[in-house]
Amino acid sequence: MSDTSAPSTASEPIRVFILDDHEVVRRGVRDLLEAEEGIAVVGEASDARQALARVPAARPQVAVLDVRLGDDAGGDHAGIEVCRELRARMPELVCLMLTSFDDDEALFDAIMAGASGYVLKQINGADLVSAVRTVASGTSMLDPRTTARVMARLRGGSADPQPAEPEQPSVLDRLSPREREILELIGEGLTNREIAERLYLAEKTVKNRISAILSKLGVGRRIQAAMIAGRLRERSS
């Protein structure tokens, strides 16, 4: 029967790795997560070098990464560079960025690095656990308000110090007219259901089209595609 495998799947804990340069924070996050049923902390690191060496061996599902890592060469955004590198090596890994500062620049960079979520260290314990479970399930922790802030920054003309490769015309030319239309609607912030209603398509069809768009653009997150759409809109205005 189809449900015979359900118990073993349900019993598998979410494997989490923690990167933070403060031992007290690492211990606090570890104790909090390990107290939860269905979550296992499989490793930790205090700097970028350790994280890049240990994460592939630990094979976590979720990496909780501090944005700012003290003395690391990457500076204020060293954790984001770790996210970028780990995602390149392990596309199945999801990264949850943890920071003390509500920084739009770091938020923007984290999204472009492939992070699935971005939360402040002031978050309470229950919400952090919920965030880990959310990103582990494949759902983004970037809410509409956060997305709006990033898009507003983009429309405001702030320079992106590292333009994303998917902006290159040779990549965008791979999209069909319908896919470009859907990309534009993604940039407007529409949900799959809203896009389906606007274009008179089945919601499943829209979902499949968006998966194809992300693949063609070489990005893994819907918000990254939205940013590309925003840049295209700026260029054409």
Side-chain angles (χ1 to χ4, degrees), residues 1-235:
M1 299 293 291
S2 60
D3 60 353
T4 55
S5 61
S8 62
T9 300
S11 65
E12 293 177 0
I14 299 169
R15 297 166 58 84
V16 180
F17 190 97
I18 303 166
L19 167 62
D20 198 291
D21 59 333
H22 292 98
E23 182 182 3
V24 171
V25 174
R26 289 200 313 277
R27 284 188 177 183
V29 174
R30 173 186 277 275
D31 290 348
L32 175 70
L33 296 179
E34 288 189 330
E36 294 292 320
E37 184 177 356
I39 296 179
V41 176
V42 296
E44 61 180 62
S46 61
D47 59 40
R49 179 185 56 79
Q50 289 180 353
L52 293 174
R54 295 174 182 176
V55 170
R59 305 301 298 177
Q61 294 167 262
V62 178
V64 178
L65 308 175
D66 187 12
V67 169
R68 303 188 180 197
L69 298 174
D71 299 330
D72 254 297
D76 286 348
H77 293 180
I80 294 173
E81 292 309 309
V82 171
C83 172
R84 193 188 315 277
E85 178 66 23
L86 289 176
R87 289 275 302 155
R89 297 186 193 178
M90 306 168 62
E92 72 283 2
L93 178 70
V94 292
C95 297
L96 178 65
M97 308 308 300
L98 192 61
T99 181
S100 301
F101 306 95
D102 191 7
D103 179 353
D104 280 357
E105 185 72 28
L107 170 60
F108 184 91
D109 288 347
I111 291 171
M112 295 311 294
S116 297
Y118 186 98
V119 296
L120 297 177
K121 287 184 178 179
Q122 292 90 324
I123 191 173
N124 64 48
D127 287 343
L128 179 57
V129 170
S130 176
V132 169
R133 294 189 189 279
T134 296
V135 297
S137 72
T139 304
S140 173
M141 274 293 295
L142 299 167
D143 58 26
R145 184 175 64 177
T146 299
T147 302
R149 284 170 55 198
V150 175
M151 295 306 295
R153 175 190 184 279
L154 187 61
R155 287 192 294 270
S158 298
D160 182 0
Q162 294 181 332
E165 281 187 14
E167 285 185 71
Q168 299 300 322
S170 60
V171 178
L172 293 171
D173 285 347
R174 298 175 188 171
L175 301 184
S176 68
R178 176 62 94 183
E179 288 171 338
R180 283 176 175 266
E181 192 174 8
I182 292 174
L183 177 62
E184 179 66 24
L185 296 177
I186 291 173
E188 292 178 17
L190 272 63
T191 64
N192 286 5
R193 177 171 297 181
E194 290 168 337
I195 294 173
E197 292 174 352
R198 180 80 66 88
L199 300 180
Y200 303 101
L201 296 172
E203 190 171 348
K204 184 176 181 180
T205 299
V206 171
K207 182 179 179 180
N208 291 339
R209 291 270 193 164
I210 290 175
S211 294
I213 290 169
L214 297 181
S215 177
K216 289 181 179 181
L217 294 179
V219 298
R221 306 294 178 199
R222 185 190 186 97
I223 183 63
Q224 293 171 305
M227 290 178 182
I228 294 169
R231 291 193 179 106
L232 290 175
R233 192 159 50 246
E234 286 181 347
R235 288 180 176 182

